Coordinates of all heavy atoms in Angstrom, one line a residue:
M1010 N -27.9 20.9 -3.7 CA -27.2 22.2 -3.7 C -27.2 22.8 -5.1 O -26.9 22.1 -6.1 CB -25.8 21.9 -3.2 CG -24.9 23.2 -3.3 SD -23.5 23.0 -2.3 CE -22.7 24.5 -2.5
K1011 N -27.5 24.0 -5.2 CA -27.5 24.7 -6.5 C -26.2 25.3 -6.7 O -25.5 25.9 -5.9 CB -28.6 25.9 -6.4 CG -30.0 25.3 -6.4 CD -30.5 25.2 -7.8 CE -32.0 24.8 -7.8 NZ -32.1 23.4 -7.7
T1012 N -25.7 25.1 -7.9 CA -24.4 25.6 -8.4 C -24.6 26.5 -9.5 O -25.4 26.2 -10.5 CB -23.5 24.5 -8.8 OG1 -23.5 23.5 -7.7 CG2 -22.1 25.0 -9.0
S1013 N -24.0 27.7 -9.5 CA -24.1 28.6 -10.7 C -23.1 28.1 -11.8 O -22.1 27.5 -11.4 CB -23.8 30.0 -10.3 OG -22.4 30.1 -10.1
P1014 N -23.5 28.3 -13.0 CA -22.6 27.8 -14.1 C -21.2 28.4 -14.0 O -20.2 27.7 -14.3 CB -23.3 28.4 -15.4 CG -24.7 28.6 -15.0 CD -24.7 28.9 -13.5
R1015 N -21.0 29.5 -13.4 CA -19.7 30.1 -13.2 C -18.9 29.3 -12.3 O -17.7 29.0 -12.5 CB -19.9 31.6 -12.7 CG -18.6 32.4 -13.0 CD -18.9 33.8 -12.6 NE -19.9 34.5 -13.5 CZ -20.4 35.7 -13.2 NH1 -20.0 36.4 -12.2 NH2 -21.3 36.2 -14.0
I1016 N -19.5 28.9 -11.2 CA -18.9 28.1 -10.1 C -18.6 26.7 -10.7 O -17.5 26.2 -10.5 CB -19.7 28.1 -8.9 CG1 -19.7 29.4 -8.2 CG2 -19.2 27.0 -7.9 CD1 -20.6 29.5 -7.0
C1017 N -19.5 26.2 -11.4 CA -19.3 24.9 -12.0 C -18.1 24.8 -12.9 O -17.3 23.9 -12.8 CB -20.6 24.5 -12.8 SG -20.4 22.9 -13.6
N1018 N -18.0 25.8 -13.7 CA -16.8 25.8 -14.7 C -15.5 26.0 -14.0 O -14.5 25.6 -14.5 CB -17.0 27.0 -15.7 CG -18.1 26.6 -16.7 OD1 -18.2 25.5 -17.1 ND2 -18.8 27.6 -17.2
R1019 N -15.5 26.7 -12.9 CA -14.3 27.0 -12.1 C -13.8 25.8 -11.3 O -12.7 25.6 -11.0 CB -14.6 28.2 -11.2 CG -13.5 29.2 -11.3 CD -13.8 30.4 -10.4 NE -14.2 29.9 -9.0 CZ -14.9 30.7 -8.2 NH1 -15.4 31.9 -8.6 NH2 -15.2 30.2 -7.0
K1020 N -14.8 25.0 -10.9 CA -14.5 23.9 -9.9 C -13.9 22.7 -10.6 O -14.3 22.4 -11.7 CB -15.7 23.6 -9.1 CG -16.0 24.5 -8.0 CD -17.2 24.1 -7.2 CE -17.4 24.9 -6.0 NZ -16.9 24.3 -4.8
K1021 N -13.1 22.0 -9.8 CA -12.7 20.7 -10.3 C -13.8 19.7 -10.3 O -14.7 19.7 -9.4 CB -11.6 20.2 -9.3 CG -10.8 19.0 -9.7 CD -9.6 18.9 -8.8 CE -8.9 17.5 -9.0 NZ -8.5 17.3 -10.4
R1022 N -13.9 18.8 -11.3 CA -14.9 17.9 -11.4 C -14.4 16.5 -11.1 O -13.3 16.1 -11.5 CB -15.5 17.9 -12.8 CG -16.4 19.1 -13.0 CD -16.9 19.2 -14.5 NE -17.5 20.5 -14.7 CZ -17.4 21.1 -15.8 NH1 -16.9 20.6 -16.9 NH2 -18.0 22.3 -15.9
F1023 N -15.3 15.7 -10.5 CA -15.0 14.3 -10.2 C -16.1 13.5 -10.8 O -17.3 13.8 -10.7 CB -14.9 14.1 -8.7 CG -13.8 14.9 -8.0 CD1 -14.1 16.1 -7.5 CD2 -12.6 14.4 -7.9 CE1 -13.1 16.9 -6.9 CE2 -11.6 15.1 -7.3 CZ -11.8 16.4 -6.8
A1024 N -15.7 12.4 -11.4 CA -16.7 11.5 -12.1 C -17.6 10.8 -11.1 O -18.8 10.5 -11.4 CB -16.0 10.5 -13.0
T1025 N -17.1 10.5 -9.9 CA -17.8 9.8 -9.0 C -17.7 10.4 -7.6 O -16.8 11.2 -7.3 CB -17.3 8.3 -8.8 OG1 -16.0 8.3 -8.3 CG2 -17.4 7.6 -10.1
R1026 N -18.7 10.2 -6.8 CA -18.7 10.7 -5.4 C -17.5 10.2 -4.6 O -16.8 10.9 -3.9 CB -20.0 10.4 -4.7 CG -20.0 10.8 -3.2 CD -21.3 10.5 -2.6 NE -22.4 11.3 -3.1 CZ -22.7 12.6 -2.6 NH1 -22.0 13.0 -1.6 NH2 -23.7 13.3 -3.1
A1027 N -17.2 8.9 -4.9 CA -16.1 8.2 -4.2 C -14.8 9.0 -4.5 O -13.9 9.2 -3.6 CB -16.0 6.8 -4.6
A1028 N -14.6 9.3 -5.8 CA -13.3 10.0 -6.2 C -13.3 11.4 -5.5 O -12.2 11.8 -5.0 CB -13.3 10.2 -7.7
A1029 N -14.4 12.1 -5.4 CA -14.4 13.4 -4.7 C -14.1 13.3 -3.2 O -13.4 14.0 -2.7 CB -15.7 14.1 -5.0
E1030 N -14.7 12.3 -2.6 CA -14.6 12.1 -1.2 C -13.2 11.6 -0.8 O -12.7 11.9 0.3 CB -15.7 11.1 -0.7 CG -17.0 11.8 -0.7 CD -18.1 10.9 -0.1 OE1 -17.9 9.7 0.0 OE2 -19.2 11.5 0.1
E1031 N -12.5 10.9 -1.7 CA -11.2 10.5 -1.5 C -10.3 11.7 -1.4 O -9.4 11.8 -0.5 CB -10.7 9.6 -2.6 CG -9.4 8.8 -2.3 CD -9.0 8.0 -3.5 OE1 -9.8 7.3 -4.1 OE2 -7.8 8.1 -3.9
V1032 N -10.5 12.7 -2.2 CA -9.7 13.9 -2.2 C -10.1 14.7 -0.9 O -9.2 15.3 -0.2 CB -9.9 14.8 -3.5 CG1 -9.3 16.1 -3.3 CG2 -9.4 14.0 -4.7
A1033 N -11.4 14.8 -0.6 CA -11.8 15.5 0.5 C -11.2 14.9 1.8 O -10.9 15.7 2.7 CB -13.4 15.4 0.6
A1034 N -11.1 13.6 1.9 CA -10.6 13.0 3.1 C -9.1 13.3 3.3 O -8.7 13.3 4.4 CB -10.8 11.5 2.9
R1035 N -8.4 13.6 2.2 CA -7.0 13.9 2.3 C -6.7 15.4 2.5 O -5.6 15.8 2.8 CB -6.3 13.4 1.1 CG -6.0 12.0 1.1 CD -4.9 11.7 0.0 NE -5.4 10.5 -0.8 CZ -5.4 10.5 -2.1 NH1 -5.1 11.5 -2.8 NH2 -5.8 9.4 -2.7
A1036 N -7.7 16.2 2.3 CA -7.5 17.7 2.4 C -7.4 18.1 3.9 O -7.8 17.4 4.8 CB -8.7 18.4 1.8
D1037 N -6.7 19.2 4.0 CA -6.5 19.8 5.4 C -7.7 20.4 6.0 O -7.9 20.5 7.2 CB -5.4 20.9 5.3 CG -4.0 20.3 5.0 OD1 -3.8 19.1 5.2 OD2 -3.2 21.0 4.4
V1038 N -8.6 20.8 5.1 CA -9.9 21.4 5.6 C -11.0 20.5 5.3 O -10.9 19.5 4.5 CB -10.1 22.8 4.8 CG1 -9.1 23.8 5.2 CG2 -10.1 22.6 3.3
T1039 N -12.1 20.7 6.0 CA -13.3 19.9 5.8 C -13.9 20.2 4.5 O -14.3 21.4 4.2 CB -14.3 20.1 7.0 OG1 -13.6 19.9 8.2 CG2 -15.5 19.2 6.8
L1040 N -14.1 19.2 3.7 CA -14.7 19.4 2.4 C -15.9 18.5 2.2 O -15.8 17.4 2.8 CB -13.7 19.2 1.2 CG -12.5 20.1 1.2 CD1 -11.5 19.6 0.1 CD2 -13.0 21.5 0.8
R1041 N -16.8 18.9 1.5 CA -18.0 18.1 1.2 C -18.1 17.8 -0.3 O -17.9 18.8 -1.1 CB -19.3 18.7 1.7 CG -19.5 18.8 3.1 CD -19.9 17.4 3.7 NE -20.2 17.5 5.1 CZ -19.2 17.3 6.0 NH1 -18.0 17.1 5.6 NH2 -19.5 17.4 7.3
A1042 N -18.3 16.6 -0.7 CA -18.6 16.3 -2.1 C -20.1 16.5 -2.3 O -20.9 16.1 -1.5 CB -18.2 14.9 -2.4
Y1043 N -20.4 17.0 -3.4 CA -21.8 17.1 -3.8 C -22.0 17.0 -5.3 O -21.1 17.3 -6.1 CB -22.4 18.5 -3.3 CG -21.9 19.7 -4.1 CD1 -22.5 20.2 -5.2 CD2 -20.7 20.3 -3.6 CE1 -22.0 21.3 -5.8 CE2 -20.1 21.4 -4.3 CZ -20.8 21.9 -5.4 OH -20.3 23.0 -6.0
K1044 N -23.2 16.5 -5.7 CA -23.4 16.3 -7.1 C -23.9 17.6 -7.7 O -24.8 18.2 -7.1 CB -24.5 15.2 -7.2 CG -24.8 14.9 -8.7 CD -25.1 13.5 -9.0 CE -25.1 13.2 -10.5 NZ -25.5 11.9 -10.8
C1045 N -23.3 17.9 -8.8 CA -23.6 19.1 -9.5 C -24.8 18.9 -10.4 O -24.8 17.9 -11.2 CB -22.4 19.7 -10.2 SG -22.8 21.2 -11.1
E1046 N -25.8 19.7 -10.4 CA -27.0 19.5 -11.2 C -26.7 20.0 -12.6 O -27.5 19.8 -13.6 CB -28.2 20.3 -10.6 CG -28.7 19.6 -9.4 CD -29.7 20.5 -8.7 OE1 -30.2 21.5 -9.2 OE2 -30.0 20.1 -7.5
L1047 N -25.6 20.7 -12.8 CA -25.3 21.3 -14.1 C -24.5 20.3 -15.0 O -24.8 20.0 -16.1 CB -24.6 22.6 -14.0 CG -25.4 23.7 -13.4 CD1 -24.5 24.9 -13.1 CD2 -26.5 24.2 -14.3
C1048 N -23.4 19.8 -14.4 CA -22.5 18.9 -15.2 C -22.7 17.5 -14.8 O -22.1 16.6 -15.4 CB -21.0 19.4 -15.0 SG -20.4 19.1 -13.3
H1049 N -23.5 17.2 -13.8 CA -23.8 15.9 -13.3 C -22.6 15.1 -12.9 O -22.5 13.9 -12.9 CB -24.6 15.1 -14.4 CG -25.9 15.8 -14.8 ND1 -27.0 15.8 -13.9 CD2 -26.2 16.5 -15.9 CE1 -27.9 16.5 -14.5 NE2 -27.5 16.9 -15.7
Q1050 N -21.6 15.9 -12.5 CA -20.4 15.3 -11.9 C -20.3 15.8 -10.5 O -21.3 16.5 -10.0 CB -19.2 15.6 -12.7 CG -19.2 15.0 -14.1 CD -17.9 15.0 -14.8 OE1 -16.9 14.5 -14.3 NE2 -17.8 15.6 -15.9
Y1051 N -19.2 15.5 -9.8 CA -19.2 15.9 -8.4 C -18.1 17.0 -8.2 O -17.1 17.0 -8.8 CB -18.8 14.7 -7.5 CG -19.9 13.7 -7.5 CD1 -20.0 12.7 -8.4 CD2 -20.9 13.8 -6.5 CE1 -21.0 11.8 -8.4 CE2 -21.9 12.9 -6.5 CZ -22.0 11.9 -7.5 OH -23.0 11.0 -7.5
H1052 N -18.5 17.9 -7.3 CA -17.5 19.0 -6.9 C -17.3 18.9 -5.4 O -18.1 18.2 -4.7 CB -18.1 20.4 -7.2 CG -18.4 20.7 -8.6 ND1 -17.4 20.6 -9.6 CD2 -19.5 21.0 -9.3 CE1 -18.0 20.9 -10.8 NE2 -19.2 21.2 -10.6
L1053 N -16.3 19.6 -4.9 CA -16.1 19.7 -3.5 C -16.4 21.1 -3.1 O -16.1 22.1 -3.8 CB -14.6 19.4 -3.2 CG -14.2 17.9 -3.4 CD1 -12.7 17.7 -3.2 CD2 -15.0 17.0 -2.5
T1054 N -16.9 21.3 -1.9 CA -17.1 22.6 -1.3 C -16.6 22.6 0.1 O -16.7 21.6 0.8 CB -18.6 23.0 -1.4 OG1 -18.7 24.3 -0.9 CG2 -19.5 22.0 -0.6
S1055 N -16.1 23.7 0.5 CA -15.7 23.9 1.9 C -16.9 24.5 2.8 O -16.8 24.6 4.0 CB -14.5 24.8 2.0 OG -14.7 26.0 1.4
R1056 N -17.9 24.8 2.1 CA -19.1 25.3 2.8 C -20.0 24.2 3.2 O -20.7 23.6 2.5 CB -19.9 26.2 1.9 CG -19.2 27.5 1.6 CD -20.1 28.5 0.9 NE -19.4 29.6 0.4 CZ -19.9 30.5 -0.5 NH1 -21.1 30.4 -0.9 NH2 -19.1 31.5 -0.9
T1057 N -19.8 23.9 4.5 CA -20.5 22.7 5.0 C -21.8 23.0 5.7 O -22.6 22.1 6.1 CB -19.6 21.9 6.0 OG1 -19.2 22.9 7.0 CG2 -18.3 21.5 5.3
K1058 N -22.1 24.3 5.8 CA -23.4 24.7 6.4 C -24.6 24.2 5.6 O -24.7 24.5 4.4 CB -23.4 26.2 6.6 CG -23.9 26.7 7.9 CD -23.9 28.2 8.0 CE -23.9 28.6 9.4 NZ -23.9 30.1 9.5
G1059 N -25.4 23.5 6.3 CA -26.6 23.0 5.6 C -26.4 21.8 4.7 O -27.3 21.3 4.1
M1060 N -25.2 21.4 4.6 CA -24.9 20.2 3.8 C -25.1 18.9 4.7 O -24.9 19.0 5.9 CB -23.4 20.1 3.4 CG -23.1 21.3 2.5 SD -23.7 21.1 0.8 CE -22.6 20.0 0.1
K1061 N -25.6 17.9 4.1 CA -25.8 16.6 4.8 C -24.4 16.1 5.2 O -23.5 16.1 4.4 CB -26.5 15.6 4.0 CG -28.0 15.9 3.9 CD -28.6 14.7 3.2 CE -29.9 15.2 2.5 NZ -30.2 14.2 1.4
T1062 N -24.3 15.5 6.4 CA -23.1 14.8 6.7 C -23.0 13.6 5.9 O -23.9 12.8 5.8 CB -23.1 14.4 8.2 OG1 -23.4 15.6 9.0 CG2 -21.8 13.8 8.7
P1063 N -21.9 13.4 5.2 CA -21.7 12.2 4.3 C -21.7 11.0 5.1 O -21.3 10.9 6.3 CB -20.4 12.5 3.6 CG -19.6 13.4 4.5 CD -20.6 14.2 5.2
S1064 N -22.1 9.9 4.4 CA -22.2 8.6 5.1 C -20.9 8.1 5.7 O -20.9 7.5 6.8 CB -22.7 7.6 4.1 OG -21.9 7.5 3.0
Y1065 N -19.8 8.5 5.1 CA -18.5 8.0 5.7 C -18.2 8.6 7.0 O -17.5 8.1 7.8 CB -17.4 8.1 4.7 CG -16.9 9.5 4.4 CD1 -16.0 10.2 5.2 CD2 -17.4 10.2 3.3 CE1 -15.5 11.4 4.9 CE2 -17.0 11.5 3.0 CZ -16.1 12.1 3.8 OH -15.6 13.4 3.5
E1066 N -18.7 9.8 7.2 CA -18.5 10.5 8.5 C -19.5 10.0 9.6 O -19.3 10.1 10.7 CB -18.6 12.0 8.4 CG -17.3 12.6 7.8 CD -17.3 14.1 7.9 OE1 -18.1 14.7 8.6 OE2 -16.4 14.7 7.2
R1067 N -20.6 9.5 9.1 CA -21.6 8.9 10.1 C -21.3 7.5 10.4 O -22.0 6.9 11.2 CB -23.0 9.1 9.5 CG -23.5 10.5 9.4 CD -25.0 10.6 9.1 NE -25.4 9.7 8.0 CZ -25.7 10.1 6.8 NH1 -25.7 11.4 6.5 NH2 -26.1 9.3 5.9
G1068 N -20.3 6.9 9.7 CA -20.0 5.5 10.0 C -21.0 4.6 9.4 O -21.3 3.5 10.0
E1069 N -21.7 4.9 8.3 CA -22.7 4.1 7.7 C -22.3 3.4 6.5 O -23.1 2.9 5.7 CB -24.0 5.0 7.4 CG -24.7 5.4 8.7 CD -25.8 6.3 8.4 OE1 -26.1 6.5 7.2 OE2 -26.4 6.9 9.3
L1070 N -21.0 3.3 6.3 CA -20.5 2.6 5.1 C -20.8 1.1 5.2 O -21.2 0.5 4.4 CB -19.0 2.9 4.9 CG -18.6 4.2 4.2 CD1 -17.1 4.3 4.2 CD2 -19.2 4.3 2.8
Ligands
ZN2013 ZN1 -20.7 21.2 -12.2

């Protein structure tokens, strides 16, 4: 997923995918964690269109 520098700066960053998904799992809305190519950390997005279903939702942990 491509992230613009503006969005990257605005978004909360997570050091690991696990940390981001932990927050996503607790949120009221469906969120996806994705690795940012700019800061190389993880962000959350509520735009799930075209995003891969994370492994924890597919039961592949
Ligand atoms: Zn970023």
